[in-house]
Amino acid sequence: MRKKKKLQDDEPELESEFRSVDGEELESLMERMFDDMNLTEEMRRPLRCKDTAGKREMLRNFNKKSQQKHGPNSPAEFVESMKATERPAVMLELITTLRVSLTNRAVSWLRDFADKGGLDLLMCLLKECQYVESSLHNRLEHECVRCLKAFMNNKHGLSQVLGDDNGMATLARSLHPSKPQIMTEVLRIMAAMSLVPPHGHDKALEALTLVGEFREIGRFSVLIDALSLDVGGTKNHLLQLACIQFINAIITTPDDLDFRIHLRNEVIRAGLDEVLSNLPDDPGDDLTVQLEVFEYHREEDVNELQGRLGDIKVELDDPYELFGRLLTMSQETPSYPHFLSMLQHLIMLPNEDIVRSQYMVLFEEFISQVTLFHGGIHPDFGLRKFDIDVDAYL
């Protein structure tokens, strides 16, 4: 009986902070709690319907749990421990614990962690791991990526990483087919971020481009290598799925048809069709769905292009048909002499396969940058100079 009475006596003390709260103040506190819990609108609706006593109980329990952040696992202590730790094994244990906190804590805890410099430290640690080859550093790199994934699982964290000029690029440097688990995790993050307006797609594509330039390969080559990867005679299904999901996100997100076709052609030119032709007849339900999404959008874009060309069917993979179409479009128009001049200049290229290929890459980049004008605004054709970036190809 005494124990029961003690619990009853404690109850008013626990509830004292919210006992007198009601009306607009109570609703305001509830909304702040919902934000802190990162709840969707659908999850909030039934909680708003609780009576006053139920809402006060929720606030009391949430406040009690939130006060734990001032204990031994507070953001400040994590940051200080990250600064003081030098041994990789100790750091791995610390970052694993941090991931659990980032996953389970309220949004305010994550915000406090970032404000105290924790996000910057996490990014720096990830960079360090990317340049050290050891099984321990690989595990530490993976935990850093998982921490960032947990940190970005809310609007605040997502906007903070997207707002970091180097955030996405740092993540993309972990795209190594030789580390399939890490690459799978990174691709999932980048695919999700590429769908976030207004700059998520630009950031993801820019990060992939920077990685390609740093490694002196095509920006989509790392994806093709991962899709082709054999480990012990078998493909990594999860990595393949993540690659196709990312490719679909990158290609289908832009509103501009020309840009979608350009990106798709670039991926195909990097070797996608050849890789897909070598997949088994039954690659699994998830991968089959993603492949169907890829083919569906490819057909839709071809149909849209044909509609723009006056419903004249053009086989985009047939060079003879494309040339015939261009010739027909140019004949008896002011553009014909210039079209003929371009052909005459192309025929003058050196008759050496490697050199000719390099020229073609340069011309393709030039034409892509001129034709893929942004916002539907044509270049100023009165200018004799155009700002074309071809440094990476010279």
Side-chain angles (χ1 to χ4, degrees), residues 211-237:
V211 169
E213 290 177 353
F214 178 76
R215 299 176 187 173
E216 298 183 343
I217 58 175
R219 58 182 172 183
F220 291 109
S221 295
V222 66
L223 301 176
I224 304 304
D225 291 343
L227 284 166
S228 308
L229 183 67
D230 272 320
V231 179
T234 60
K235 305 287 187 183
N236 188 308
H237 176 75

Side-chain angles (χ1 to χ4, degrees), residues 62 118 320 348:
F62 180 75
Y320 297 101
M348 295 178 188

Side-chain angles (χ1 to χ4, degrees), residues 130-171:
Q130 289 166 345
Y131 292 100
V132 180
E133 286 296 330
S134 75
S135 59
L136 182 58
H137 281 86
N138 287 349
R139 290 168 60 195
L140 185 53
E141 180 182 358
H142 193 191
E143 281 301 324
C144 287
V145 170
R146 296 174 75 186
C147 280
L148 289 170
K149 180 181 179 181
F151 181 84
M152 289 185 286
N153 193 32
N154 60 85
K155 291 181 180 179
H156 175 77
L158 192 62
S159 63
Q160 192 146 12
V161 174
L162 281 174
D164 185 340
D165 290 338
N166 299 314
M168 189 80 87
T170 300
L171 261 173

Side-chain angles (χ1 to χ4, degrees), residues 175-195:
L175 293 175
H176 281 284
S178 59
K179 303 174 184 178
Q181 284 186 312
I182 298 175
M183 183 169 177
T184 299
E185 204 80 65
V186 172
L187 284 173
R188 288 171 177 168
I189 296 172
M190 291 182 66
M193 294 180 76
S194 68
L195 302 176

Side-chain angles (χ1 to χ4, degrees), residues 41-59:
E41 183 62 29
E42 185 178 357
M43 296 168 68
R44 297 180 189 210
R45 288 195 195 104
L47 300 179
R48 291 189 182 117
C49 297
K50 285 180 174 289
D51 58 20
T52 299
K55 290 178 179 179
R56 287 173 179 167
E57 179 71 12
M58 283 188 64
L59 287 169

Side-chain angles (χ1 to χ4, degrees), residues 38-135:
N38 196 33
L39 299 184
T40 63
E41 183 62 29
E42 185 178 357
M43 296 168 68
R44 297 180 189 210
R45 288 195 195 104
L47 300 179
R48 291 189 182 117
C49 297
K50 285 180 174 289
D51 58 20
T52 299
K55 290 178 179 179
R56 287 173 179 167
E57 179 71 12
M58 283 188 64
L59 287 169
R60 182 182 66 80
N61 291 335
F62 180 75
N63 188 59
K64 182 179 179 181
K65 182 178 179 181
S66 297
Q67 287 175 350
Q68 295 174 357
K69 79 172 192 175
H70 301 295
N73 292 324
S74 68
E77 291 187 342
F78 266 112
V79 170
E80 290 305 314
S81 296
M82 291 173 70
K83 290 178 180 178
T85 302
E86 296 183 357
R87 294 175 56 194
V90 178
M91 182 65 84
L92 176 60
E93 184 177 350
L94 175 65
I95 298 301
T96 302
T97 305
L98 173 63
R99 173 175 56 81
V100 175
S101 290
L102 291 173
T103 301
N104 298 320
R105 298 283 188 166
V107 176
S108 58
W109 196 97
L110 277 66
R111 187 182 294 112
D112 195 13
F113 175 75
D115 290 344
K116 288 180 167 55
L119 180 61
D120 292 335
L121 288 172
L122 195 57
M123 286 291 188
C124 288
L125 180 60
L126 177 59
K127 289 179 185 177
E128 291 176 14
C129 293
Q130 289 166 345
Y131 292 100
V132 180
E133 286 296 330
S134 75
S135 59

